[in-house]
């Protein structure tokens, strides 16, 4: 579990430190203060700098867009990956790039650019020799620019950056998928699940349910749905014959309601039931890992939010899941605070504030947050 987190040169964050994290962490802040960006940084760190996740983060914000009216890119510095770096600029060779990790870590994850010269040996084997900034100059032949990741003495090439006009470049962006059904621990720092403001993609939701149904965790999901409608007794995914087989919408969730003869589509039960189902399915599939929830309150009425937080605190402890959630809602903060007071060792709350192009994190103790809410002090 992350005890703290430090971000350098990632999107809005030139340098951000959150000194104390816990099992269940709630994050607030104004528009464009970096709440979603913080979740992205956690996801990128959990994935251990996965090149797939890097490209998915760009796609999610439409930062891979390209127009026929644009001039062809003239340099690797025009690569869409620049949008992930502070100031929308790729670091020059030798400059510090994105740094992510625990504040106390001696070998954080470092993503930056590097130049390599291709050398063909007499045997025909091609090797790459890394060049320092002062070795690199335009007259040098056969050198390439890459995004690399470093942790201590370990270095790995992730993506080639000076290949913008080739077919390989365009295929890389057109073939990526937003569907991380069940991230495997191998190669990643943490298993994680991400519930965005629009919930999980339907195909991913179905895949996660398949991993959960007929296991003891299925009862945890049904119990959560009972918070909204105590008549729910079961869930199943079925093929929707009105949709094209194999499409993202071809399997839909149905719920069994006591007293009603036929199962009903989950979406017919309202936004709150749908949101809760997505959150809890993702939570139980993030065992020993991380759950990210953007705009927790979406679709959830304020009266049910304390009960939902109560389940999240309990399951986070039981399944060893570290939860990071964002919100704009004061009701959501109050509900979180109520349950945090019942589990004082399991929660953390902090606010992001943007001032003079710098974003800082203000951390609250449980007692401080409770007092602020009782005195009607704005904490969002």
């Amino acid at each position: 579990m992350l005890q703290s987190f430090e971000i350098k040169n990632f999107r809005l964050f030139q340098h951000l430190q959150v000194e104390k994290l816990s099992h269940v962490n709630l994050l607030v802040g104004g528009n464009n203060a970096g709440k979603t960006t913080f979740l992205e940084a956690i996801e990128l760190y959990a994935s251990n700098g996965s090149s797939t996740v890097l490209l998915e983060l760009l796609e999610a914000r439409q930062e891979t867009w390209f127009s026929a009216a644009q001039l062809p890119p003239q340099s690797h510095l025009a690569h869409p990956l620049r949008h992930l770096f502070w100031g929308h600029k790729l670091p020059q060779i030798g400059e510090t790039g994105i740094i992510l990790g625990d504040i106390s870590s001696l070998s954080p994850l470092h993503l930056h650019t590097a130049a390599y010269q291709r050398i063909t040996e007499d045997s025909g084997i091609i090797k790459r020799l890394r060049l320092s900034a002062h070795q690199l100059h335009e007259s040098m032949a056969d050198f390439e620019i890459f995004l690399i990741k470093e942790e201590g003495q370990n270095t790995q090439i992730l993506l080639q950056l000076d290949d913008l006009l080739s077919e390989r470049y365009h295929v890389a962006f057109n073939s990526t998928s937003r569907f991380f059904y069940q991230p495997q621990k191998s190669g990643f720092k943490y298993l994680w699940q991400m519930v965005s403001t629009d919930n999980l993609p339907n195909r991913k939701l179905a895949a996660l349910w398949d991993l959960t149904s007929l296991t003891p965790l299925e009862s945890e999901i049904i119990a959560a749905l009972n918070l909204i409608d105590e008549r729910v007794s079961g869930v199943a995914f079925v093929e929707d014959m009105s949709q094209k087989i194999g499409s993202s919408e071809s399997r839909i969730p149905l719920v069994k309601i006591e007293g009603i003869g036929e199962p009903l589509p989950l979406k017919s039960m309202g936004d709150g039931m749908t949101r809760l189902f997505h959150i809890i399915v993702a939570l139980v599939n993030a065992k020993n890992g991380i759950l990210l929830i953007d705009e927790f309150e979406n679709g959830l009425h304020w009266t049910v939010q304390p009960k939902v937080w109560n389940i999240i605190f309990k399951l986070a402890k039981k399944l060893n899941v570290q939860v990071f959630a964002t919100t704009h809602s004061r009701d959501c903060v109050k509900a979180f605070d109520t349950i945090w007071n019942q589990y004082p060792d399991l929660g953390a709350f902090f606010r992001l504030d943007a001032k003079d192009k710098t974003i800082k994190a203000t951390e609250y103790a449980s007692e401080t947050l409770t007092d602020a809410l009782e005195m009607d002090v704005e904490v969002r």
Side-chain angles (χ1 to χ4, degrees), residues 336-357:
F336 173 86
D337 180 62
T338 297
I339 305 305
W340 185 12
N341 285 326
Q342 297 176 24
Y343 305 94
D345 297 329
L346 296 183
F349 179 90
F350 58 99
R351 187 184 74 234
L352 297 180
D353 295 296
K355 186 177 181 181
D356 298 329
K357 298 182 180 181

Side-chain angles (χ1 to χ4, degrees), residues 323-338:
V323 179
F324 295 89
T326 72
T327 186
H328 288 111
S329 166
R330 186 176 180 85
D331 287 329
C332 183
V333 175
K334 291 176 67 176
F336 173 86
D337 180 62
T338 297

Side-chain angles (χ1 to χ4, degrees), residues 7 113 231:
I7 305 171
T113 58
R231 299 174 300 162

Side-chain angles (χ1 to χ4, degrees), residues 112 114 116 130 148-158:
H112 60 108
Y116 289 81
R130 185 169 172 179
I148 68 170
K149 73 173 182 181
E150 290 185 318
E151 288 184 283
Q153 300 300 313
N154 298 320
T155 300
Q156 180 181 339
I157 291 176
L158 298 177

Side-chain angles (χ1 to χ4, degrees), residues 152-351:
Q153 300 300 313
N154 298 320
T155 300
Q156 180 181 339
I157 291 176
L158 298 177
L159 293 165
Q160 187 170 350
L161 301 179
D162 56 348
D163 202 20
L164 285 84
L165 298 180
S166 75
E167 182 179 351
R168 259 187 321 180
Y169 168 80
H170 296 288
V171 168
F173 284 107
N174 292 330
S175 63
T176 57
S177 167
R178 288 295 298 169
F179 304 133
F180 260 90
Y181 297 132
Q182 183 73 2
Q184 300 299 309
K185 190 65 182 286
S186 178
F188 296 144
K189 294 184 180 297
Y190 298 95
L191 179 151
W192 80 96
Q193 301 294 344
M194 172 67 173
V195 182
S196 71
T197 56
D198 297 324
N199 292 321
L200 296 166
N202 200 62
R203 188 181 300 173
K204 178 177 180 179
L205 180 66
L208 293 180
W209 175 255
D210 289 343
L211 295 169
T212 308
S213 62
L214 303 181
T215 74
L217 293 174
E218 181 177 358
S219 62
E220 301 283 5
I221 297 173
I222 302 303
L225 297 182
N226 289 155
L227 296 178
I228 294 179
D229 192 327
E230 60 185 15
R231 299 174 300 162
V232 174
S233 59
V235 176
F237 272 75
V238 299
E239 200 77 31
D240 181 2
M241 300 306 294
S242 69
Q243 302 291 331
K244 181 180 178 181
I245 301 299
S247 74
S248 62
E249 299 297 325
S250 63
R251 294 181 67 206
I252 65 170
L254 303 180
V255 292
K256 176 59 178 162
I257 305 295
E258 293 178 0
I260 298 179
E262 63 174 321
L264 301 176
L266 175 69
K267 283 191 175 181
S268 73
M269 304 296 292
D271 292 341
M273 183 75 79
T274 299
R275 182 67 168 174
L276 181 56
F277 182 67
H278 283 245
I279 289 174
I280 301 302
V281 168
L283 174 57
V284 300
N285 280 280
K287 185 177 181 180
N288 296 320
I290 289 173
L291 173 63
L292 307 169
I293 310 171
D294 204 4
E295 295 187 20
F296 174 92
E297 73 280 4
N298 280 3
L300 294 172
H301 193 264
W302 67 270
T303 56
V304 78
Q305 289 182 27
K307 299 175 184 178
V308 177
W309 277 121
N310 189 48
I311 286 181
I312 288 176
F313 269 82
K314 287 182 177 179
L315 288 180
K317 178 64 174 180
K318 178 180 178 180
L319 302 177
N320 189 32
V321 177
Q322 188 167 26
V323 179
F324 295 89
T326 72
T327 186
H328 288 111
S329 166
R330 186 176 180 85
D331 287 329
C332 183
V333 175
K334 291 176 67 176
F336 173 86
D337 180 62
T338 297
I339 305 305
W340 185 12
N341 285 326
Q342 297 176 24
Y343 305 94
D345 297 329
L346 296 183
F349 179 90
F350 58 99
R351 187 184 74 234

